[in-house]
Amino acid sequence: MPPLVLTSSGKLQGVEDDGCVVFRGVPFAQPPVGDLRWRPPEPVLPWDGVRDATEFSASAKQRQLPGDVGDLIGIPAQTQSEDCLYLNVWTPACDERKRPVMVWIHGGGNTVGSGTQPRIDGRQLAMAGDVVVVTLNYRLGVFGWLHAPILGAYGNEGLLDQTAALFWVRREIEAFGGDPQNVTVFGQSAGGFDIAHLMAMPAATSAFDKAIPMSGSLIDTITKVEARAVAERYVMRFGGWDNPERMRRVSADDLLDYQVELTGGGFGGARFGPVADGYSLGLDAERRIGAGIQTRGMPLLIGHTRDEFNLFTATREGADQMSDNDLLAAATAPFGGMRAAEGVDRYQRARGARGESTDNLDVWNAIMTDSMFRIPAVRTAEAQARHTPQVWSYRFDYPSPAYDGRLGSCHSLDIPFIWGTYEAENMKRFCGEASPELESLSETMMQTYLAFAKTGNPNNKRLPDWPTYNDSDRAVMTLNHESEVVNAPADEERDFWASLAPRELSRVGG
């Protein structure tokens, strides 16, 4: 008999996949189309009979990443629709076991990605740890992050979609064999940035019990002024102030084409992500987390890969030709014009003292890795540790063999090892050919995340003793074939970032 579950909205029929029970394309909100475009998610309408849940839904509307990056890291083009608010559940059994639940929020700069990518197939994780795994879609780009009060849009509809999915899990997951009182949210890149803001978002209060932001944490929210300027350009382009409601009838492809134009196809243009609208999300998420308003007592596992930014330069033609003047000019963005030279010098001296490369491109990669990923993770860990001792920090160090090793341990490389999908055909170039060593590394990563999801502590028999993070020892677990704890890695650079005024901190997000 095909697996059946009864939810509060109706019956769902799933499918068995090599011993794992899977429910795909499960609605957690009404389709955000027509009059619901740019509205907060509305509750699912009940259905009669049995709803088929054997096929994935369409992904959110998006444009494929340019160049080789999307194929390399495993964000393939997929069927897309504005009707995208669906989730997927993998469970060992729909019984009364009340297993820990792990809910994944995908990355992609809040403009690409989905909960149905092959690299995040939940079967291996669910069966390895006897846990329930959930992945979800949320609205991307202009559809999920347009701050247009004239249309009733906060600019945080993407976050509200994630919140709606998390509360669906609270209500419904017991029918799938999960424990609604033991929910861990984990996500990478934009998923990690979003999780950090969910930790400070009033609407997400009590939506989850533990958090794992990966390669993404506290960055400056987009201001209302910045976000409204983007919305105004959209209204002027497609609606006009005499009748902005015309915007709801513009084709999704036309809206996406203009989004690509505004963003410049990458860094430097309009941003889409958490907006400090003053209602759904405040201005200072770091202060709210530091005060423990929503997260007091919530265990946190947070970290990044060692060479995050290499992904964005190793695949860019001519990046290795960076001159001294190029480096100094580029450093004005993260450090500010007054301290760019000092910052470059600090990185060159600190890296040289450790025997690391001081080539201009390597220094730039290190600066941007810190700007976008490591330093925000440090700030988030410090904020949470002010009131909650259960905070652990990690760094993923395994290097990719792709691009003749120039990627190092780059952005997104940890994902297939956590999900046990490193052997997938589309991951071999990125991760390397399957071997006992890679199998062992994946097992270590999976058991670490599973231990945290089950107990709120990532320590397990595959790792040395892992102390909690505090602002004196700054203990970081480096995860590789041989894992070890390092205290205060690259602390000279961290200290320089701490000396910068808040206005000088980079606002670049990934």
Side-chain angles (χ1 to χ4, degrees), residues 93-109:
C94 298
D95 54 22
E96 298 179 356
R97 287 284 298 275
K98 291 191 176 181
R99 298 167 178 83
V101 182
M102 301 179 70
V103 181
W104 173 259
I105 298 179
H106 71 79

Side-chain angles (χ1 to χ4, degrees), residues 239-506:
W241 295 109
D242 59 322
N243 186 6
E245 284 294 321
R246 291 194 196 105
M247 286 270 287
R248 300 196 200 277
R249 300 192 294 274
V250 176
S251 78
D253 284 335
D254 286 346
L255 294 170
L256 274 177
D257 287 342
Y258 192 50
Q259 174 183 307
V260 172
E261 182 180 331
L262 290 180
T263 59
F267 298 112
R271 296 189 297 155
F272 291 95
V275 176
D277 66 318
Y279 181 75
S280 64
L281 188 65
L283 183 63
D284 197 337
E286 182 176 355
R287 184 176 301 171
R288 193 171 171 88
I289 292 173
I293 294 172
Q294 292 170 221
T295 60
R296 186 177 299 273
M298 177 185 290
L300 177 69
L301 172 61
I302 189 167
H304 57 94
T305 68
R306 185 188 61 206
D307 310 305
E308 298 271 7
F309 203 71
N310 290 32
L311 177 67
F312 309 108
T313 58
T315 58
R316 187 183 306 157
E317 188 174 348
D320 58 347
Q321 303 302 312
M322 178 174 263
S323 68
D324 292 348
N325 287 337
D326 292 337
L327 175 59
L328 185 60
T332 61
F335 294 144
M338 298 294 292
R339 302 193 66 185
E342 180 187 355
V344 169
D345 180 67
R346 177 72 66 94
Y347 270 76
Q348 290 172 331
R349 286 190 294 103
R351 290 176 62 83
R354 296 193 296 266
E356 298 170 355
S357 170
T358 57
D359 289 349
N360 287 334
L361 180 59
D362 292 331
V363 170
W364 175 239
N365 282 332
I367 289 171
M368 291 307 292
T369 290
D370 282 359
S371 173
M372 294 172 62
F373 304 104
R374 184 172 79 99
I375 299 305
V378 167
R379 288 168 47 193
T380 307
E382 288 177 345
Q384 183 69 1
R386 288 172 199 155
H387 49 76
T388 299
Q390 292 84 17
V391 176
W392 286 267
S393 177
Y394 73 86
R395 189 184 74 199
F396 183 75
D397 281 8
Y398 169 75
S400 169
Y403 283 86
D404 298 321
R406 295 196 304 275
L407 290 171
S409 182
C410 70
H411 194 62
S412 291
L413 184 58
D414 48 350
I415 292 175
F417 291 96
I418 290 161
W419 289 87
T421 57
Y422 67 95
E423 293 182 284
E425 191 62 36
N426 70 331
M427 288 283 96
K428 288 182 179 178
R429 180 164 66 109
F430 194 33
C431 299
E433 290 292 331
S435 67
E437 290 78 16
L438 291 193
E439 181 181 7
S440 178
L441 176 59
S442 182
E443 181 70 13
T444 296
M445 297 297 291
M446 293 174 74
Q447 291 303 320
T448 297
Y449 277 56
L450 289 165
F452 183 81
K454 291 177 179 181
T455 69
N457 185 327
N459 276 283
N460 65 89
K461 64 182 181 181
R462 299 186 66 86
L463 294 175
D465 182 62
W466 187 352
T468 55
Y469 185 90
N470 58 61
D471 60 8
S472 55
D473 295 332
R474 303 187 185 280
V476 176
M477 178 67 75
T478 59
L479 296 163
N480 202 337
H481 296 310
E482 296 294 331
S483 300
E484 64 175 340
V485 173
V486 177
N487 285 340
D491 211 41
E492 285 189 55
E493 294 95 320
R494 182 207 59 79
D495 186 62
F496 179 74
W497 284 98
S499 74
L500 294 175
R503 62 180 175 82
E504 294 175 300
L505 292 176
S506 170

Side-chain angles (χ1 to χ4, degrees), residues 123-153:
R123 187 185 67 81
Q124 298 252 34
L125 201 56
M127 300 305 287
D130 193 31
V131 299
V132 178
V133 178
V134 179
T135 67
L136 59 98
N137 293 337
Y138 56 94
R139 281 173 282 181
L140 300 172
V142 63
F143 304 100
W145 311 90
L146 187 75
H147 178 65
I150 197 170
L151 294 170

